[in-house]
């Protein structure tokens, strides 16, 4: 176990020097003078370097292992984009600078907004939101304000149980959470076995109070919504709007556009689809796209171009206000911009085709051995349900923990909630056939051999990691939050 900095500290080796920068003759009141040492750890630079390098090696990261985390698109993020984001020309700009001196920053935002419109088939984008969930929230505020402006009382949102988050009672997941935050009531919709929507069931819940329906296409089971045109017609005939959760955009870029499918509002998770490292929770960016009739409601400021000059417009009459300081997470916007410009339309289409091909290749290798509830074909991800194979009390959580011993990051498990003992796998376009083959072999070995021959090993897993399996109940009920 790597020691903490305080534990590594040794008085013998003072490794830093603190100089008092208060003038000698300054009149500092006695009661403000420090009487105890600063308490910083004493560690030689060399040991400090080793400490952090050792810690980083304990981490499971995309730069060290295959990371098949379903629903989250953990793909390779081109390192050159990091260098671009660190470029002084962008990095040293302050948001309070005069507009004339930050034209390049505004140009990047203006251009990315146009590129996202092209990819998504929308008319306008706001880049301010800091995550997908934040985008959902802002998008729903736009919808809320729109209905207020046309004097309609619509306070309900349909969320299918295949979406991100399904349990209305606990608001589990981002879709119902965002809806509740934005002041809406959630109307759950039970989906079919493959996560798709039944038109008959949809008709039953489409009442005059429905403001919008939130859909993820392809859905969290990796299945494309075949009836999307009919769904769009039903929803719009009811006077409601259609919201697109763009977390799975990596499956459809250059092939089909949310705007063309009939969606009115959407978000894109730039950190997922457009290559920003996002394990561990940030930083993210969740731009929202809208059809033109909703543009007046977008958060301010809007980046505009007048006679070759970029400017910020704060004066949109119906805007929902600001949702983030300044212009959003600009470095993420910059990286996405570099990614889009480098790949171009053809490149982005190739990304999606390759992501779907990789997922189907893996699915084909699994499907004769492990139950796949949503069938023989998928988009960019698929869900296994190995429940029927489990003997000896082994469960999906044990499979996931055991994968850590083999050096993999575990896939998403127990999600979506509609699949028993779900294991959700998204290989992405940036993995080789060899990597996929190796992973499939290991998963099959764990499920089909180890769980029968050495069930206790699976219950004990992970065995080779620096920290063994945690007691999840204690972690939630009696968390230890500080070093003592
Ligand atoms: C990741 C995800 C979200 C939430 O996005 P964040 O950027 O993590 O806030 C919403 N819906 C789906 C389907 C997702 O996979």
């Amino acid at each position: 176990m790597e020691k903490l900095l305080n534990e590594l500290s040794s008085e013998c080796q003072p490794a830093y020097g603190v100089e008092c920068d208060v003038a000698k003759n300054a009149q500092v009141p006695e009661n403000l003078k420090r009487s105890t040492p600063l308490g910083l750890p004493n560690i030689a630079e060399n040991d400090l370097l080793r400490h952090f390098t050792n810690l980083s090696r304990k981490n499971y990261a995309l730069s060290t292992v295959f990371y098949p985390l379903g629903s989250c698109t953990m793909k390779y993020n081109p390192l050159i984009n990091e260098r671009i984001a660190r470029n002084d020309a962008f990095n040293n700009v302050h948001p309070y600078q005069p507009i004339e001196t930050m034209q390049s920053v505004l140009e990047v935002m203006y251009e990315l907004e146009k590129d996202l419109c092209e990819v998504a088939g929308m008319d306008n984008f706001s880049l301010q939101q800091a995550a997908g969930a934040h985008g959902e929230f802002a998008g729903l505020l736009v919808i809320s304000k729109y209905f207020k402006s046309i004097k309609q009382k619509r306070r309900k949102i349909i969320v299918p149980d295949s979406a991100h988050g399904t349990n209305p009672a606990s608001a589990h997941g981002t879709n119902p959470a965002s809806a509740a935050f934005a002041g809406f009531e959630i109307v759950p919709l039970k989906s079919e076995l493959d996560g798709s929507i039944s038109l008959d069931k949809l008709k039953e819940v489409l009442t005059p109070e429905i403001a919008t329906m939130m859909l993820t296409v392809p859905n969290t089971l990796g299945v494309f919504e075949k009836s999307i045109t009919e769904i769009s017609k039903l929803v719009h005939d009811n006077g409601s709007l259609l919201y697109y959760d763009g977390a799975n955009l990596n499956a459809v870029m250059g092939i089909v556009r949310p705007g063309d499918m009939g969606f009115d509002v959407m978000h894109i998770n730039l950190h997922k689809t457009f290559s920003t490292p996002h394990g561990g929770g940030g930083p993210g960016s969740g731009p929202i796209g809208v059809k033109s009739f909703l543009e007046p409601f977008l958060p301010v400021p809007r980046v505009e171009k007048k006679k070759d000059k970029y400017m910020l417009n704060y004066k949109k009459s119906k805007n929902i206000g600001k949702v983030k300081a300044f212009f959003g997470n600009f470095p993420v916007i910059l990286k996405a911009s570099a990614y889009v410009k480098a790949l171009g339309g053809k490149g982005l289409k190739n990304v999606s085709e390759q992501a779907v091909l990789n997922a189907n290749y893996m699915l084909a290798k699994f499907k004769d051995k492990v139950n796949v509830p949503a069938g023989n074909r998928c988009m960019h991800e698929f869900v296994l349900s190995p429940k029927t194979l489990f003997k000896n009390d082994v469960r999906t959580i044990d499979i996931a923990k055991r994968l850590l011993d083999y050096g993999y990051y575990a896939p998403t498990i127990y999600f979506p909630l509609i699949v028993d003992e779900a294991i959700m796998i998204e290989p992405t376009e940036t993995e080789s056939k060899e990597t996929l083959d190796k992973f499939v072999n290991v998963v099959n070995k764990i499920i089909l051999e180890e769980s029968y021959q050495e069930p206790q090993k699976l219950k004990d897993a992970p065995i080779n990691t620096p920290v063994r399996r945690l007691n999840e109940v204690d972690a939630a009920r009696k968390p230890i939050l500080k070093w003592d």
Side-chain angles (χ1 to χ4, degrees):
M1 193 70 125
E2 184 71 18
K3 288 185 170 163
L4 299 177
L5 287 179
N6 285 332
E7 295 169 306
L8 285 173
S9 176
S10 139
E11 289 306 322
C12 310
Q13 219 182 10
Y16 64 90
V18 180
E19 269 176 36
C20 183
D21 62 354
V22 180
K24 283 240 160 60
N25 56 358
Q27 309 257 314
V28 181
E30 275 312 307
N31 64 340
L32 294 184
K33 283 189 185 159
R34 127 158 262 127
S35 57
T36 51
L38 268 178
L40 297 176
N42 279 306
I43 299 164
E45 190 168 328
N46 190 12
D47 294 327
L48 192 68
L49 173 69
R50 285 178 188 151
H51 172 72
F52 284 112
T53 306
N54 288 339
L55 278 185
S56 76
R57 284 200 192 139
K58 290 188 175 26
N59 200 11
Y60 285 75
L62 205 72
S63 50
T64 51
V65 295
F66 178 42
Y67 207 122
L69 196 66
S71 193
C72 221
T73 312
M74 299 303 259
K75 56 165 138 182
Y76 168 68
N77 310 295
L79 283 181
I80 188 158
N81 294 348
E82 295 300 319
R83 200 186 301 170
I84 292 168
R86 252 183 269 133
N87 185 308
D88 282 349
F90 294 109
N91 220 8
N92 290 341
V93 175
H94 194 281
Y96 281 142
Q97 272 178 227
I99 285 291
E100 308 78 62
T101 65
M102 53 164 134
Q103 289 290 303
S104 56
V105 170
L106 299 187
E107 182 177 4
V108 167
M109 292 194 285
Y110 186 84
E111 287 275 315
L112 182 64
E113 187 181 331
K114 283 211 305 202
D115 288 341
L116 294 182
C117 286
E118 178 76 29
V119 171
M122 304 306 270
D123 297 319
N124 300 94
F125 263 90
S126 157
L127 307 179
Q128 276 188 30
Q129 300 67 227
H134 197 193
E136 291 168 22
F137 176 61
L140 295 179
L141 289 185
V142 164
I143 290 172
S144 177
K145 197 146 189 188
Y146 164 73
F147 280 119
K148 247 183 217 150
S149 79
I150 59 168
K151 304 210 161 39
Q152 286 192 13
K153 233 189 163 162
R154 292 177 181 260
R155 301 311 305 166
K156 291 187 177 174
I157 293 187
I158 300 173
V159 182
D161 59 3
S162 60
H164 198 276
T166 52
N167 184 343
S170 65
H172 188 119
T174 62
N175 287 185
S178 304
F181 251 74
F184 289 97
E185 193 183 312
I186 294 128
V187 179
L189 176 60
K190 200 164 161 33
S191 59
E192 304 304 286
L193 286 179
D194 62 356
S196 65
I197 303 297
S198 138
L199 295 176
D200 288 334
K201 285 184 193 145
L202 174 60
K203 281 179 200 158
E204 280 169 28
V205 290
L206 263 179
T207 62
E209 293 157 292
I210 299 294
T212 185
M213 164 154 161
M214 297 180 86
L215 269 186
T216 311
V217 184
N219 64 30
T220 51
L221 277 135
V223 175
F224 189 84
E225 185 56 71
K226 286 197 209 71
S227 321
I228 187 59
T229 319
E230 289 87 345
I231 292 173
S232 169
K233 184 163 186 328
L234 281 176
V235 168
H236 288 116
D237 284 351
N238 189 53
S240 316
L241 301 180
L242 205 50
Y243 185 97
Y244 183 85
D245 178 333
N248 293 343
L249 197 67
N250 211 51
V252 295
M253 284 186 295
I255 297 159
V256 67
R257 308 193 304 173
D260 299 339
M261 288 188 252
F263 287 92
D264 306 285
V265 188
M266 67 177 293
H267 75 262
I268 295 178
N269 310 59
L270 289 187
H271 44 292
K272 292 180 182 174
T273 313
F274 295 94
S275 83
T276 277
H278 59 281
S285 177
I288 55 171
V290 295
K291 291 284 174 62
S292 57
F293 71 99
L294 294 171
E295 197 268 344
F297 300 91
L298 285 177
V300 287
R302 305 276 308 131
V303 181
E304 292 177 359
K305 189 176 179 184
K306 294 244 163 78
K307 293 204 193 101
D308 284 345
K309 266 190 71 179
Y310 296 96
M311 47 170 283
L312 293 170
N313 184 349
Y314 286 87
K315 294 201 186 102
K316 292 276 171 179
S317 58
K318 299 175 182 162
N319 76 77
I320 59 165
K322 281 190 71 65
V323 295
K324 172 95 176 74
F326 304 114
F327 323 131
N329 278 336
F330 183 73
V332 182
I333 291 168
L334 187 53
K335 283 181 238 182
S337 189
Y339 185 77
V340 173
K341 297 281 185 212
L343 287 175
K346 269 194 194 144
L348 291 180
K349 183 176 184 198
N350 196 7
V351 162
S352 290
E353 287 173 346
Q354 200 65 41
V356 171
L357 182 62
N358 274 0
N360 276 287
Y361 175 72
M362 277 183 113
L363 176 59
K365 298 197 84 173
F366 274 122
K367 74 174 184 232
D368 295 334
K369 301 195 166 113
V370 184
N371 178 32
V372 186
N376 293 336
R377 291 281 210 94
C378 65
M379 294 294 286
H380 64 307
E381 66 190 358
F382 57 91
V383 179
L384 304 177
S385 179
K387 190 178 176 185
T388 49
L389 296 170
F390 289 157
K391 298 272 154 16
N392 304 319
D393 209 21
V394 167
R395 297 189 61 209
T396 279
I397 181 115
D398 306 313
I399 310 294
K401 297 288 184 193
R402 184 67 179 141
L403 275 168
L404 304 180
D405 282 334
Y406 283 95
Y408 290 107
Y409 194 94
T412 301
I413 55 173
Y414 299 109
F415 181 80
L417 306 180
I418 48 179
V419 174
D420 265 344
E421 298 292 319
I423 301 180
M424 184 189 214
I425 295 171
E426 177 177 2
T428 82
E429 72 281 7
T430 56
E431 298 296 337
S432 68
K433 178 175 172 295
E434 287 72 22
T435 301
L436 305 185
D437 285 339
K438 266 195 211 155
F439 181 77
V440 172
N441 290 342
V442 168
V443 174
N444 281 337
K445 183 173 167 210
I446 297 173
I447 297 181
L448 303 171
E449 293 172 26
E450 291 189 348
S451 75
Y452 289 83
Q453 292 154 12
E454 307 169 275
Q456 195 53 40
K457 206 176 200 171
L458 300 202
K459 298 254 89 173
D460 292 341
I463 295 162
N464 305 327
T465 49
V467 177
R468 299 285 302 272
R469 192 182 299 205
L470 299 175
N471 181 332
E472 286 174 10
V473 177
D474 276 358
R477 298 256 161 86
K478 296 182 231 156
I480 301 167
L481 298 175
K482 79 184 217 294
W483 183 80
D484 208 349

